[in-house]
Amino acid sequence: MPNELLAKEKTHLVAFMPSGKRGRFPDGTPVLEAARVLGVDIDSVCGGRGICGRCQVDLTVGKFSKHGVVSRADSLSPFAEAEEKFKQRRGMKEGRRLSCHALLRGDVVIDVPAVSQVHKQVIVKQADDRKIEMDPAIRLHFVQVLEPDMYNPTGDFERLCLALKQQWGLDFMECDLRTLQALQKVLRDGKWNVTVAVHRSSRITKIWPGFHNVAYGLAVDVGSTTIAMHLCNLSTGDVVASAGMMNPQIRYGEDLMSRVSYVMMNPGGEQLLTEAVRRGINDLIAEVSEAAEIDPTDILNAVFVGNPIMHHLLLGIDPTELGGAPFALTTNSGMTVWMSEIGVGSNPDGRAYFLPCIAGHVGADTAAVILAEAPHLQDQMMLIIDVGTNAEIVLGNNVRLLAASSPTGPAFEGAQISCGQRAAAGAIERVRINPETLEPRFKVIGSDLWSDEDGFEEETKKSGITGICGSGIIEVIAEMYLSGILTTDGVIDGSFAAKSPRVVADGRTFSYVIRGGESEIKIYQTDVRAIQLAKAALYAGAKLLMDKLGVETVDRIVLTGAFGSHIDTKYAMVLGMIPDCNLEDVEGVGNAAGIGARIALLNKSARDEIEAVVRSVEKIETAVEPKFQEYFVEAMAIPHKTSRYPELAKVVKLPEPRVSSNNPDGDNGRRRRRRRG
């Protein structure tokens, strides 16, 4: 174009909010094109054809001196036919425009709403409004492909790649064989218009005929007890369906080490365990797909997290080496595999990403917790504990991170407790003891009433009072201590039998009756000891990490996992499960591992981030640390033999330290350190 014509060409100043980017463009330039030139973040799947509706923007009317713009209602072209069709078909907010069809007719200020941004933020943690930027590994691209002709004998795939390059700037594409096998039929069914799913801007994983607007992904936390799954829309980040189940591997062993033992003693046992967990995952996929009314083949990406043994078994790797020192992992790197390689019943060409494990007993679930809670981005000293049969512990901040596991055993989950059970309807979950009368009152799962309230017996008649779960065990033992029934060294004081019929003799020891009658529920001395051993191992692991970092106190404590979220943090501290801290800075956050998996699903950069963080985490093996046993023995006392709890004492009246003259164990509370499991 001659220079004199360029000079006369009419241009308009456009300013985009909230980015503040602005520039001049010729009259008639589509708003979407101007946005792309300026690098403004506006989403589009259909490539400006007015089909997907993701590029919606708002025209803002007014005088904006800061940007030198007077924006008027007629600064954009009138509503186009394609916009009208989309509005009738899908609906649009009043005043919204499709930026691919709205043309510049004057200086204008354009607001890009959050829903139209490619890298929009979504909240993944309601508690603290944790937001992440949407940038999934799977992107959808609608393209028009040139039809073949006799004069240009190129393959359909090569012409598809040319369309992706010309229309989306994607080059050097690869394609999975299964997708390639269906390519010709899909192209012709779509009359040469197709939607392409691309993994990490380089590999085609699915092609649909015509326009297709959505793909899905899975965030899965594979725990030793339960499996939790979330089905997410990869465009919006929304969780569209969730499901969970008991891990089917439980039939081969309650805890991790019993499953490893099963593998060791039964040739081919690892295959049975792998098949069991994969069947469970496929059952959940069918469940969430049905709930969301989607085709499972539209599930193109998944993120899996779990402890090292679950991680290995899901991948079909024999976990035997994790059953004994030095607890060697097959791999501690993040990895991406085909869904078909792990037998997942979604799109076989979908990709499954496994977060990295940290150490032999600190798994990808802990890596996911770090991603969710982000201690590596904090100034404050944060202690994160996933309470389970092997407590996984992380301590640190943005300067240094340490991780370890501590063998707490299954007592916190109700095992090894005389009346213990898993959390289910009818299980006692909350307990209070009157310090004057020593009378208890309690709540059970499935009822909001306390046991001393009218209607309790009627409301619990169907479920019955069946036992006591982990959170209930912690509360009753802490309450027994606060009311004086338990001494500092964890002995049920038999002298209280004269004060209350709730304290009864059992041979050489005493027990406390929570509920009498035919279905009697009692706390025995052996139950107290089991909890002492578990909580001492937990505290000792945390203390060991504090010692390594050279800190006496922590600023914040986070308890994660299904069990951690149900613990009353006050009672956890009364027992001495965790170090002293301001109770306002101690919280249970539920399934943080599942949140971390969702973050990695919705933002591919988060995968690179956590892999880098895991490489920097210092792994501490408690089994070879000589001080662990010392810390363990001191932590047997309630709350602790030597450590003071000044922050706890501000809100709870702690009894004066009192040691029983008659130790029922005859061993000063010393026990051999329990095996991992």
Side-chain angles (χ1 to χ4, degrees):
M1 184 179 291
N3 289 337
E4 59 270 18
L5 290 179
L6 278 171
K8 293 178 181 178
E9 186 178 26
K10 190 176 183 181
T11 64
H12 307 296
L13 180 61
V14 56
F16 289 94
M17 299 293 112
S19 67
K21 293 179 178 179
R22 57 182 179 166
R24 284 198 168 273
F25 295 89
D27 184 73
T29 300
V31 171
L32 181 59
E33 183 180 321
R36 285 177 172 169
V37 170
L38 293 173
V40 175
D41 194 17
I42 298 182
D43 200 1
S44 175
V45 170
C46 67
R49 296 173 178 85
I51 301 173
C52 70
R54 293 194 187 175
C55 65
Q56 295 179 37
V57 296
D58 293 311
L59 185 159
T60 305
V61 175
K63 183 177 181 180
F64 300 86
S65 301
K66 177 181 177 181
H67 302 290
V69 176
V70 178
S71 183
R72 298 182 174 87
D74 61 357
S75 293
L76 295 179
S77 60
F79 220 60
E81 182 182 351
E83 293 178 282
E84 191 60 51
K85 286 182 178 178
F86 180 85
K87 186 174 183 179
Q88 291 174 3
R89 188 174 74 253
R90 302 272 295 278
M92 277 201 302
K93 284 188 178 180
E94 197 61 37
R96 285 270 166 95
R97 300 294 303 273
L98 296 182
S99 63
C100 59
H101 278 72
L103 310 180
L104 295 178
R105 293 289 184 243
D107 294 350
V108 66
V109 171
I110 297 293
D111 183 64
V112 183
V115 293
S116 298
Q117 296 170 19
V118 176
H119 301 100
K120 63 180 76 70
Q121 290 188 329
V122 294
I123 295 174
V124 292
K125 275 188 65 185
Q126 294 295 339
D128 60 3
D129 291 339
R130 173 75 188 276
K131 296 178 181 179
I132 64 164
E133 185 180 274
M134 282 293 297
D135 187 21
I138 294 289
R139 289 281 185 189
L140 302 185
H141 304 279
F142 179 75
V143 292
Q144 294 176 314
V145 182
L146 290 173
E147 296 185 40
D149 61 58
M150 295 294 291
Y151 302 99
N152 184 19
T154 56
D156 285 353
F157 175 67
E158 284 68 30
R159 277 179 283 104
L160 174 64
C161 291
L162 179 63
L164 285 167
K165 181 178 180 180
Q166 291 177 339
Q167 297 168 37
W168 290 101
L170 296 172
D171 207 354
F172 306 109
M173 302 301 296
E174 296 180 343
C175 185
D176 292 333
L177 177 59
R178 277 179 294 259
T179 305
L180 198 62
Q181 289 166 342
L183 175 61
Q184 292 197 315
K185 185 176 188 307
V186 171
L187 282 171
R188 285 151 183 82
D189 287 348
K191 296 181 172 55
W192 306 99
N193 294 321
V194 294
T195 303
V196 183
V198 179
H199 181 260
R200 282 189 171 261
S201 303
S202 63
R203 196 168 193 97
I204 298 169
T205 57
K206 185 169 182 179
I207 307 172
W208 295 267
F211 178 72
H212 193 84
N213 199 31
V214 64
Y216 297 92
L218 298 171
V220 189
D221 178 15
V222 184
S224 55
T225 304
T226 58
I227 304 173
M229 177 180 289
H230 303 291
L231 177 69
C232 300
N233 182 315
L234 293 180
S235 300
T236 64
D238 295 337
V239 175
V240 296
S242 297
M245 69 187 310
M246 297 293 286
N247 190 324
Q249 292 178 343
I250 283 178
R251 69 175 73 102
Y252 300 104
E254 282 276 333
D255 57 51
L256 292 172
M257 294 314 297
S258 61
R259 293 178 207 175
V260 175
S261 296
Y262 181 88
V263 171
M264 290 176 173
M265 294 185 293
N266 296 273
E270 72 279 3
Q271 295 175 13
L272 293 175
L273 287 163
T274 293
E275 289 168 5
V277 71
R278 289 179 178 177
R279 272 198 309 271
I281 287 169
N282 284 331
D283 287 345
L284 290 178
I285 289 174
E287 185 177 337
V288 295
S289 297
E290 183 178 355
E293 298 181 339
I294 71 159
D295 184 342
T297 63
D298 283 349
I299 300 173
L300 301 180
N301 206 206
V303 171
F304 290 94
V305 301
N307 60 62
I309 292 171
M310 291 300 100
H311 169 276
H312 277 44
L313 285 170
L314 180 54
L315 285 167
I317 298 171
D318 188 330
T320 298
E321 290 300 321
L322 295 171
F327 312 109
L329 292 159
T330 299
T331 175
N332 64 338
S333 300
M335 60 188 303
T336 300
V337 300
W338 276 274
M339 298 280 207
S340 58
E341 288 184 286
I342 56 171
V344 171
S346 58
N347 189 301
D349 284 336
R351 295 300 193 271
Y353 175 74
F354 286 75
L355 264 69
C357 290
I358 297 174
H361 283 283
V362 186
D365 50 352
T366 302
V369 170
I370 292 174
L371 193 55
E373 294 302 319
H376 58 292
L377 303 178
Q378 311 292 326
D379 291 327
Q380 60 182 189
M381 187 60 61
M382 187 185 300
L383 175 64
I384 303 173
I385 301 174
D386 186 349
V387 185
T389 53
N390 269 312
E392 294 170 326
I393 308 168
V394 176
L395 176 69
N397 55 16
N398 54 14
V399 177
R400 193 177 169 198
L401 274 185
L402 274 65
S405 69
S406 196
T408 52
F412 287 143
E413 296 181 353
Q416 299 179 346
I417 304 297
S418 56
C419 294
Q421 68 165 86
R422 294 194 184 278
I428 294 173
E429 63 172 344
R430 297 281 178 255
V431 180
R432 300 292 181 268
I433 297 176
N434 185 311
E436 300 300 323
T437 65
L438 305 186
E439 283 297 303
R441 60 192 187 103
F442 54 85
K443 278 186 175 183
V444 300
I445 296 174
S447 173
D448 291 328
L449 298 175
W450 286 91
S451 58
D452 58 351
E453 292 181 311
D454 292 339
F456 174 82
E457 294 294 337
E458 183 66 29
E459 190 166 286
T460 58
K461 186 177 293 183
K462 185 175 181 181
S463 66
I465 314 299
T466 54
I468 184 165
C469 66
S471 60
I473 293 163
I474 287 170
E475 290 197 9
V476 70
I477 293 179
E479 282 279 322
M480 288 168 68
Y481 170 69
L482 293 174
S483 61
I485 298 170
L486 274 184
T487 61
T488 303
D489 53 352
V491 175
I492 299 176
D493 190 341
S495 67
F496 279 72
K499 183 178 180 179
S500 169
R502 295 283 177 179
V503 179
V504 297
D506 278 300
R508 294 176 53 222
T509 64
F510 290 82
S511 59
Y512 178 77
V513 180
I514 301 175
R515 179 179 173 84
E518 188 176 335
S519 301
E520 188 177 59
I521 297 176
K522 296 165 69 174
I523 298 297
Y524 292 87
Q525 184 65 62
T526 53
D527 298 332
V528 178
R529 278 292 179 262
I531 292 298
Q532 282 182 279
L533 291 164
K535 74 96 176 179
L538 185 60
Y539 182 96
K543 173 63 176 171
L544 190 64
L545 295 191
M546 292 170 69
D547 212 26
K548 294 286 184 181
L549 272 182
V551 298
E552 293 293 326
T553 60
V554 296
D555 301 313
R556 183 178 173 220
I557 300 176
V558 175
L559 302 176
T560 75
F563 178 56
S565 65
H566 286 91
I567 298 173
D568 187 313
T569 55
K570 178 182 77 173
Y571 289 111
M573 195 174 290
V574 168
L575 268 189
M577 290 173 60
I578 53 179
D580 187 46
C581 185
N582 185 331
L583 274 174
E584 293 182 357
D585 296 319
V586 183
E587 63 174 329
V589 296
N591 188 8
I595 293 170
R598 188 176 163 216
I599 291 171
L601 176 69
L602 300 180
N603 186 299
K604 63 179 183 288
S605 298
R607 305 177 187 186
D608 303 326
E609 174 191 349
I610 193 57
E611 288 182 22
V613 171
V614 165
R615 285 193 293 270
S616 71
V617 172
E618 299 173 46
K619 297 86 173 175
I620 307 300
E621 178 51 66
T622 57
V624 298
E625 290 290 337
K627 282 194 173 182
F628 182 89
Q629 187 66 21
E630 175 189 336
Y631 294 153
F632 174 78
V633 171
E634 291 181 345
M636 283 290 291
I638 303 175
H640 195 274
K641 183 177 180 180
T642 56
S643 294
R644 303 275 71 86
Y645 278 76
E647 292 294 334
L648 177 63
K650 292 177 182 178
V651 293
V652 178
K653 186 178 180 181
L654 296 172
E656 289 296 319
R658 183 168 57 93
V659 177
S660 171
S661 58
N662 177 30
N663 190 320
D665 291 327
D667 60 359
N668 296 318
R670 293 178 183 268
R671 290 287 178 89
R672 287 183 302 170
R673 193 174 166 217
R674 68 172 72 247
R675 70 185 182 121
R676 293 186 183 274

